[in-house]
Amino acid sequence: MLSTLSQWLFNTAGLEPHGYCLLWEPGLIWLYAASDTMIALAYFSIPLSLAIIGKHRGDLVFRPLLGLFAAFILLCGTSHWLDLLTLWTPLYSLLGLIKAATAITSVITAYALWRGLPNFLALPSFEQLRRANVALRASEERLAHAQKLEAIGQLTGGIAHDFNNVLQVISGSLSVIERKLAQNRDADIAPSLEAIKRASNTATNLVARMLAFSRRQTLAPREIEPDRLVAGMEEMLRRTLGPEIRLDLRPLRCRSNVTCDPSQLESALLNLAINARDAMPQGGTLRISTADRNPPADIADSDVPPGDYVEIEVEDNGAGMSREVLDRAFEPYFTTKPVGRGTGLGLSQIYGFVRQSGGLMRIESEPGKGTSVRIYLPGHAPTACLQAGSAPPSAESFDHCGSRARGKALVVEDQPEVRSQVVDALQEMGYAVCEAPDGITGLKMLEAAGELNLLVSDVGLPGMSGGQLAEIAHAARPALPILLITGYAGASLEKLEIAPNMDVLRKPFTLDQFSASVRALTQAKASVG
């Protein structure tokens, strides 16, 4: 049977080639030959392009139709090749068979096209897709704006609640003091004064946490050794955790140091330890470890440059968190603790501090499997002379040193009431004080002054900032003790290198805290000298 079919396909007896019909006219022969060759090559290239499209675009809804269309075009190209051959060889049977196959395939393709025509017409145009994308982006922006407003509402509501409590304590205590004074009962106002002090401390901590969350708090960065800092917190952590919690410290001898505010880092680790303790009411194990490690790629972003990092991990085997709680862990005023047990500002404050210090945070947790919090801070090689973070000076009353002459001090502060308080405190300590209401005036007085023993400057000054003034003063008088006081420094101190004879005191502060900071600066100068 195969031989019969082959004989029928390739038997040319009694047939004349197509060139015979063209009278073997050279011009017509080569016109037909060139045309069929070009058509066949083009037809053979089309199925190849369709195959590439089908391979790389598996999402196309009309992908099966590509196969039909490719087969149809391939058969058309084959028929043109046979037309070329029949110019000289009369293979009309084979050509007819290919044309029959082409006809069948073309009918099937046409049927599929007509049947799918409504679906093809329903496909969106480029302009429709563009308008849909614009509408989608606008919808996403409205959703993001609504979520932002909701978060702001939650934040402002929490702030209003806490500050109203503080104001209630202050206003109520002032009313009590007024009544006691009207009754000539001066000795009975001490409890109210203590209540006002506690309320002001609460407001101070609240503002500090808000600034930390917004990454706008005033930091006093120092180069620190992570292993030494963690090891130095052991006694404090054991007292805080209690005997039910087993503390496991694993400093792994980091090769890199970090530059950040040591007091804020200690506060962050202590806060995480307290959270872990509360998650283990029946007792458990808290592990704090350090290591030289790069942050995982899934939490790194464009804001954090690549490089070496130090990882500080705080891990517990407590109750853990669900996915819903984990997604909201960094939101301010979000807490799962009972009323009165937590403000919901701890993790948001830590997150703000870490990001402001150029680092990243990651939390992993599952219900019943504990929680792991990893802090990644930029690491660098230790310097030759590591600045040890000095312990906070004790708030010894400045009255004890008011009779001793300390020298000459320059106070630069634009708020008259604050400037008056600082000047009075320094005079009580024995300083001869010069005052300046802004940075430019302070710079002129600094240049005109002879011997100067202390510079106290606010950071947020009109004109020249306190940070710029401190930089100029340190360049001109490297040994001059400089104390910067600030309620909100913004970006003013980001580029200022805090020298050993410089310090930052955050507002609000008590006069005892102010005098203790001044004393620590001057004593450090005396010990160096």
Side-chain angles (χ1 to χ4, degrees):
M1 181 178 179
L2 290 177
S3 61
T4 303
L5 179 62
S6 176
Q7 180 67 21
W8 178 74
L9 288 175
F10 299 105
N11 184 17
T12 61
L15 299 175
E16 294 291 340
H18 193 201
Y20 178 81
C21 299
L22 300 177
L23 303 178
W24 301 107
E25 177 67 32
L28 288 175
I29 293 293
W30 289 113
L31 176 62
Y32 272 74
S35 299
D36 283 328
T37 301
M38 293 176 63
I39 293 173
L41 290 174
Y43 276 4
F44 283 146
S45 70
I46 292 175
L48 179 60
S49 65
L50 293 177
I52 294 174
I53 293 174
K55 179 181 179 181
H56 292 280
R57 288 298 305 274
D59 59 323
L60 295 177
V61 294
F62 51 84
R63 191 180 180 189
L65 191 60
L66 292 178
L68 280 175
F69 194 63
F72 167 66
I73 295 297
L74 188 62
L75 288 170
C76 289
T78 304
S79 66
H80 279 279
W81 274 114
L82 289 175
D83 282 338
L84 176 62
L85 291 176
T86 55
L87 286 173
W88 294 278
T89 304
L91 299 174
Y92 295 116
S93 299
L94 180 60
L95 177 61
L97 186 62
I98 295 298
K99 287 183 178 293
T102 305
I104 295 172
T105 306
S106 63
V107 170
I108 297 175
T109 304
Y111 173 77
L113 280 171
W114 281 103
R115 185 174 181 179
L117 187 61
N119 295 329
F120 301 148
L121 293 176
L123 292 175
S125 65
F126 177 78
E127 179 61 23
Q128 289 174 322
L129 288 175
R130 188 190 66 81
R131 290 198 298 265
N133 286 332
V134 170
L136 179 61
R137 284 195 296 267
S139 176
E140 290 175 345
E141 289 176 359
R142 288 194 297 270
L143 177 61
H145 184 64
Q147 291 174 337
K148 185 185 297 183
L149 290 178
E150 181 181 356
I152 292 175
Q154 177 179 336
L155 178 61
T156 53
I159 294 175
H161 173 270
D162 288 350
F163 267 105
N164 280 335
N165 287 339
V166 170
L167 292 175
Q168 177 59 45
V169 172
I170 294 175
S171 60
S173 299
L174 289 175
S175 297
V176 171
I177 291 174
E178 289 177 349
R179 293 182 180 182
K180 299 295 184 183
L181 292 178
Q183 299 170 4
N184 293 324
R185 297 167 58 187
D186 299 3
D188 296 337
I189 67 174
S192 298
L193 291 175
E194 287 298 324
I196 292 175
K197 288 182 180 179
R198 289 194 299 270
S200 64
N201 288 334
T202 300
T204 299
N205 293 332
L206 182 61
V207 171
R209 290 185 171 191
M210 288 294 97
L211 290 175
F213 168 71
S214 63
R215 311 178 207 175
R216 295 295 186 271
Q217 66 176 330
T218 303
L219 299 177
R222 295 282 191 273
E223 182 181 349
I224 59 176
E225 297 179 15
D227 294 341
R228 179 180 295 182
L229 183 137
V230 170
M233 294 182 64
E234 181 175 2
E235 182 179 352
M236 178 176 59
L237 288 171
R238 293 192 185 280
R239 289 198 309 266
T240 302
L241 296 175
E244 296 83 7
I245 306 299
R246 176 178 173 269
L247 180 62
D248 181 14
L249 298 182
R250 298 185 182 181
L252 299 182
R253 297 182 180 179
C254 296
R255 298 185 302 273
S256 300
N257 288 347
V258 298
T259 298
C260 67
D261 191 321
S263 63
Q264 292 295 325
L265 182 56
E266 289 179 349
S267 176
L269 296 178
L270 182 61
N271 202 319
L272 292 175
I274 293 174
N275 286 346
R277 180 199 63 189
D278 294 342
M280 299 182 289
Q282 306 302 322
T285 300
L286 173 66
R287 180 171 61 85
I288 302 179
S289 60
T290 61
D292 294 300
R293 194 165 296 160
N294 290 330
D298 58 339
I299 65 169
D301 56 34
S302 58
D303 295 335
V304 179
D308 297 328
Y309 285 79
V310 171
E311 177 193 83
I312 304 177
E313 181 182 12
V314 180
E315 183 179 12
D316 66 70
N317 58 354
M321 292 182 282
S322 65
R323 171 53 58 182
E324 292 75 15
V325 173
L326 195 60
D327 291 340
R328 303 184 60 187
F330 292 133
E331 291 184 15
Y333 286 102
F334 174 76
T335 180
T336 58
K337 296 179 181 180
V339 176
R341 290 287 303 279
T343 62
L345 290 173
L347 283 177
S348 62
Q349 178 184 5
I350 298 171
Y351 177 79
F353 157 69
V354 171
R355 292 310 305 268
Q356 189 176 353
S357 301
L360 292 166
M361 277 190 70
R362 178 174 190 164
I363 300 182
E364 295 178 349
S365 183
E366 291 184 29
K369 295 185 178 180
T371 301
S372 170
V373 181
R374 292 183 176 92
I375 296 175
Y376 297 91
L377 294 173
H380 56 81
T383 59
C385 181
L386 178 64
Q387 296 178 8
S390 58
S394 61
E396 179 185 350
S397 174
F398 62 90
D399 293 333
H400 296 289
C401 55
S403 59
R404 292 181 292 174
R406 295 298 184 95
K408 187 176 181 180
L410 172 61
V411 176
V412 187
E413 168 63 63
D414 60 324
Q415 185 69 25
E417 292 81 2
V418 177
R419 188 170 67 248
S420 176
Q421 293 174 355
V422 171
V423 169
D424 289 344
L426 289 174
Q427 288 176 343
E428 290 282 350
M429 296 179 70
Y431 284 95
V433 184
C434 300
E435 306 177 36
D438 55 66
I440 300 298
T441 305
L443 178 60
K444 293 179 180 179
M445 297 180 69
L446 178 69
E447 293 174 344
E451 182 181 359
L452 190 63
N453 305 98
L454 177 66
L455 170 62
V456 179
S457 176
D458 185 26
V459 174
L461 295 172
M464 175 182 291
S465 70
Q468 294 172 322
L469 178 62
E471 190 174 2
I472 295 174
H474 182 66
R477 304 169 184 251
L480 176 65
I482 300 174
L483 178 62
L484 296 171
I485 55 177
T486 179
Y488 171 62
S492 302
L493 297 180
E494 290 183 358
K495 297 182 179 180
L496 178 64
E497 182 178 354
I498 305 297
N501 59 330
M502 298 171 62
D503 200 2
V504 179
L505 180 63
R506 301 175 184 89
K507 297 177 182 176
F509 52 80
T510 65
L511 296 183
D512 285 348
Q513 291 171 336
F514 173 78
S515 64
S517 296
V518 170
R519 188 177 303 108
L521 276 176
T522 55
Q523 288 176 351
K525 176 187 176 183
S527 62
V528 172

